[in-house]
Amino acid sequence: GDVRETAAAFVARDLIEEQAYVHAYDPQVARESMLQEFKYTLNLSDETKPGILDKYFITETDPYVAAKDAHAIAVVTEWDEFKTLDYQKLYDSMSKPAFLFDGRNVVDADKCRQIGFQVYSIGKPVTMT
């Protein structure tokens, strides 16, 4: 997948710099491509910040593994797969309160709120239930 200047890299970098553990799942992009984007676009690598990526940036091949015990999910790619994930299963495995940030407006926000997520969708007003 094409990761050049993707917003996902900027979001991940900002979280990592705040010492948040980022478990990344992207069905189309390999870890090596993600690390190259960090290095060339964001100047974030083992050379510039030794050990930070190994400690705070974990890639997963399964979205349900990536979400386990997480405080939040950030959807920052437009893959159709994110429309059909089992959000109940994701929610059940997460720490509570569970947050869902939809940066691509691909998630059924109302359904996810009914499940229990605190949902924030880009460009849409926050509605609380």
Side-chain angles (χ1 to χ4, degrees):
D2 184 6
V3 295
R4 292 172 292 175
E5 298 184 17
T6 176
F10 291 90
V11 170
R13 179 210 50 205
D14 291 350
L15 290 167
I16 291 164
E17 288 182 348
E18 293 293 325
Q19 299 181 343
Y21 292 95
V22 175
H23 289 250
Y25 168 74
D26 188 315
Q28 302 293 324
V29 179
R31 178 180 175 82
E32 189 57 38
S33 296
M34 293 178 197
L35 294 177
Q36 286 178 344
E37 180 64 12
F38 285 150
K39 181 176 182 176
Y40 295 113
T41 301
L42 305 172
N43 196 33
L44 178 59
S45 67
D46 279 332
E47 292 84 28
T48 60
K49 294 198 178 185
I52 196 168
L53 289 171
D54 285 337
K55 181 174 183 180
Y56 294 108
F57 186 68
I58 299 95
T59 50
E60 303 289 359
T61 58
D62 182 316
Y64 303 100
V65 173
K68 185 172 179 359
D69 298 325
H71 296 279
I73 294 172
V75 178
V76 288
T77 62
E78 294 178 351
W79 305 122
D80 286 339
E81 179 176 344
F82 291 101
K83 296 176 185 176
T84 61
L85 291 174
D86 182 343
Y87 283 93
Q88 182 68 61
K89 182 176 178 180
L90 291 167
Y91 178 82
D92 291 345
S93 75
M94 295 174 66
S95 296
K96 308 299 183 288
F99 297 88
L100 177 58
F101 299 94
D102 183 4
R104 297 297 185 163
N105 289 313
V106 297
V107 172
D108 183 337
D110 290 333
K111 181 177 177 184
C112 287
R113 282 187 189 95
Q114 289 173 358
I115 289 170
F117 280 103
Q118 293 185 33
V119 180
Y120 298 88
S121 299
I122 194 162
K124 295 183 179 179
V126 176
T127 56
M128 305 305 255
T129 55

